[in-house]
Amino acid sequence: MSSDFFPDVEQIPYEGPDSDNPLAFRWYDADRLVGGKTMAEQLRFAVSYWHSFASDGSDIFGAGTLDRPWLESIDPTTNSAIDPMEAAKEKMSVAFEFVSKLGAPFYCFHDRDIAPEGATFAESCRNFDELVELAADHQERTGVELLWGTANLFSHPRFQAGAATNPDPDLFKYAAAQVAHCMNATKQLGGANYVLWGGREGYETLLNTDMGQELDQLGRFFSMVVEHKHAIGFEGAILIEPKPFEPTKHQYDFDVSAVHAFLQKYDLADEVKVNIEVNHATLASHDFQHEIAAAFAAGIFGSIDTNAGDDRLGWDVDRFPVSVEQMTPGVVELLRGGGFTTGGMNFDAKLRRQSTDRNDLFYAHIGGMDTMARALLAADAILSEGELDRRRDDRYAGWQSEQRILDGRVTLQELHDAQLTSGDEPKRVSGSQEELENLVARYIERIK
Ligand code: XLS
Ligand code: NI
Ligand code: NI
């Protein structure tokens, strides 16, 4: 097809670990059974519209470098202005061409990634609705599905002081309207989830911030989202994406535990789950696996934004994941918790600014998908062989005969009195951390 934006690529095949073809998967074999499900079902990969199609590689020091003609405002051949709606349609054709050639089952978008902002809210809605109609056709034609939709409540200058946490109620109202519209579209497109990342929901300085007031606003906003979900009969999950800072100095949805406490305070813990991003976890001084384990422990695990940070850069660099060693412990926690239901693995990751060839977008996603597939194979081998969990269970074995303490049938005084008479010094046992680390390394080495 000569009109293709990626003319050198037909469909990315699976060729196995011995392949040297840079446009083939070596580990991601969609139909391979791992832990009772296919790899496609276990990993539920999604391509993010914003990084892959709506960004041009610009950074705070320089202009865009990537070949994304639909992001230009002037057509270089005719020297005439490009109609933003036509450009959005072209962008969408390329997006679906890419996702289907890659063989990822899902994509994710912000409302403003797929359609341009209009002069008024109503015009923005009309623009968006037109592209949503088109997305429905593309989904139908290609079989690609929507993992989640979200509203961009942070790019436009009107959101400089936040959306739901804005001191001006007019911004709260504007954001509520935009979210309602985007939720309706997400439902229309059969989205499996709806995500809320708190773009500028935080503060720059406490000198001008009433934190209690802002948290109450945010709590009410999320409650309205949940009420709207039920009002329209949206069956997907509502997810909050924690991040500790950036763009604001402090973001209220700091990490999974902060979000969980917030959800409990506003009585939303049964209705809202979390979308965990790898590099947001590290920015919050956690590991990826910590955030997944915390989410399952709290009963609020939802979905994953997979990416990687950089050891020497303390911001959200959104690299594609390349380290099996880094990803495997996270996938162990994912499988221990039972894996995905509505969620999936969205590549919230972008090309480096010098990766200017069209096919670089394929190489990036192929590497990311192969990395996660290897992590899945290692994690599945670790858990099915069972040694790690046997060792973990052994550490807690003593509790089997002490359940009455956890049930609340014993007092502090009783424990004191018993200790006085029995007086035994508790026995210390090794935590065997290094041995367990070696065990995990062995499984990673042996992936087949
Ligand atoms: C930014 C977030 C964002 C969300 C969607 O750091 O990761 O991309 O995933 O709004
Ligand atoms: Ni994200
Ligand atoms: Ni992020």
Side-chain angles (χ1 to χ4, degrees):
M1 284 195 298
S2 56
S3 63
D4 281 10
F5 187 73
F6 301 99
D8 319 342
V9 182
E10 275 304 320
Q11 181 76 44
I12 303 297
Y14 167 73
E15 291 185 357
D18 295 331
S19 172
D20 289 323
N21 176 1
L23 288 169
F25 294 116
R26 299 188 309 118
W27 296 96
Y28 178 64
D29 181 3
D31 297 325
R32 175 171 173 184
L33 285 174
V34 184
K37 293 187 202 169
T38 64
M39 270 195 174
E41 290 164 341
Q42 288 280 22
L43 295 165
R44 293 170 59 85
F45 285 128
V47 174
S48 74
Y49 211 99
W50 52 104
H51 285 311
S52 292
F53 312 108
S55 314
D56 59 6
S58 55
D59 65 18
I60 47 170
F61 298 103
T65 52
L66 305 181
D67 179 16
R68 303 283 183 268
W70 51 87
L71 299 179
E72 307 290 336
S73 46
I74 304 284
D75 182 335
T77 49
T78 61
N79 222 10
S80 55
I82 295 176
D83 171 15
M85 284 299 280
E86 287 312 308
K89 289 173 193 168
E90 187 193 340
K91 174 168 53 173
M92 185 169 278
S93 304
V94 174
F96 278 91
E97 180 197 339
F98 178 81
V99 181
S100 46
K101 284 180 170 177
L102 180 68
F106 295 102
Y107 72 113
C108 299
F109 65 70
H110 299 89
D111 48 3
R112 300 297 173 252
D113 301 330
I114 69 168
E117 178 112 22
T120 60
F121 179 71
E123 194 190 337
S124 297
C125 289
R126 280 195 302 277
N127 290 350
F128 182 53
D129 291 345
E130 195 176 330
L131 270 295
V132 166
E133 287 290 333
L134 201 60
D137 296 344
H138 281 295
Q139 288 185 201
E140 175 82 29
R141 178 178 61 77
T142 59
V144 170
E145 294 179 71
L146 180 63
L147 185 65
W148 47 263
T150 187
N152 180 328
L153 305 177
F154 45 90
S155 293
H156 194 282
R158 75 172 70 85
F159 297 120
Q160 64 176 32
T165 62
N166 203 293
D168 178 356
D170 284 347
L171 268 296
F172 183 105
K173 291 185 257 175
Y174 196 105
Q178 196 178 325
V179 168
H181 201 86
C182 191
M183 286 177 73
N184 297 350
T186 302
K187 176 181 186 249
Q188 185 186 337
L189 293 171
N193 307 274
Y194 184 83
V195 165
L196 296 128
W197 167 58
R200 294 181 194 276
E201 313 291 26
Y203 65 81
E204 295 296 341
T205 172
L206 284 173
L207 294 176
N208 63 14
T209 302
D210 182 341
M211 199 190 287
Q213 162 76 22
E214 293 201 359
L215 289 170
D216 284 347
Q217 290 175 206
L218 196 58
R220 182 60 198 135
F221 195 89
F222 289 144
S223 299
M224 290 170 90
V225 167
V226 168
E227 288 156 16
H228 189 66
K229 165 189 155 136
H230 293 302
I232 64 174
F234 175 60
E235 284 172 5
I238 303 293
L239 308 177
I240 293 179
E241 184 175 322
K243 184 171 183 180
F245 52 83
E246 194 209 64
T248 64
K249 171 191 163 84
H250 174 85
Q251 308 261 128
Y252 294 131
D253 301 328
F254 192 92
D255 63 0
V256 167
S257 299
V259 168
H260 186 228
F262 179 92
L263 292 176
Q264 287 178 311
K265 175 169 182 201
Y266 294 96
D267 202 17
L268 290 165
D270 295 335
E271 293 277 6
V272 180
K273 297 188 166 89
V274 284
N275 181 38
I276 296 168
E277 180 161 321
V278 180
N279 196 37
H280 295 182
T282 46
L283 293 178
S285 299
H286 299 308
D287 294 324
F288 174 44
Q289 64 263 35
H290 167 97
E291 288 291 78
I292 296 179
F296 276 113
I300 57 168
F301 176 80
S303 199
I304 291 176
D305 269 8
T306 187
N307 61 14
D310 183 292
D311 287 347
R312 284 175 304 283
L313 299 178
W315 64 89
D316 200 12
V317 289
D318 292 334
R319 287 166 53 225
F320 279 83
V322 291
S323 165
V324 180
E325 279 76 9
Q326 189 198 359
M327 292 298 159
T328 299
V331 182
V332 166
E333 294 304 329
L334 172 67
L335 296 184
R336 265 177 173 165
F340 291 120
T341 49
T342 61
M345 276 196 196
N346 168 46
F347 284 101
D348 199 346
K350 63 185 177 206
L351 291 173
R352 298 306 91 185
R353 190 162 175 267
Q354 295 179 58
S355 301
T356 52
D357 288 345
R358 289 187 184 181
N359 285 353
D360 287 330
L361 199 57
F362 279 105
Y363 302 138
H365 283 86
I366 289 168
M369 288 162 80
D370 273 345
T371 299
M372 299 314 299
R374 289 190 78 197
L376 172 69
L377 290 169
D380 175 63
I382 290 167
L383 294 177
S384 30
E385 196 279 337
E387 180 66 7
L388 199 68
D389 280 353
R390 269 196 298 281
R391 301 286 288 269
R392 189 171 75 153
D393 292 347
D394 281 354
R395 290 188 78 216
Y396 298 91
W399 281 101
Q400 278 161 13
S401 50
E402 298 290 2
Q403 193 56 39
R404 61 198 185 103
I405 298 178
L406 299 183
D407 291 347
R409 285 180 278 141
V410 184
T411 65
L412 206 63
Q413 187 65 47
E414 283 165 345
L415 290 180
H416 165 266
D417 297 347
Q419 197 68 31
L420 271 186
T421 50
S422 83
D424 296 342
E425 177 67 24
K427 213 165 71 237
R428 292 185 302 118
V429 290
S430 172
S432 309
Q433 177 173 335
E434 296 79 3
E435 188 193 350
L436 295 176
E437 285 167 348
N438 294 351
L439 182 86
V440 169
R442 211 151 61 227
Y443 281 102
I444 294 174
E445 282 154 24
R446 290 182 188 163
I447 303 165
K448 281 196 287 287

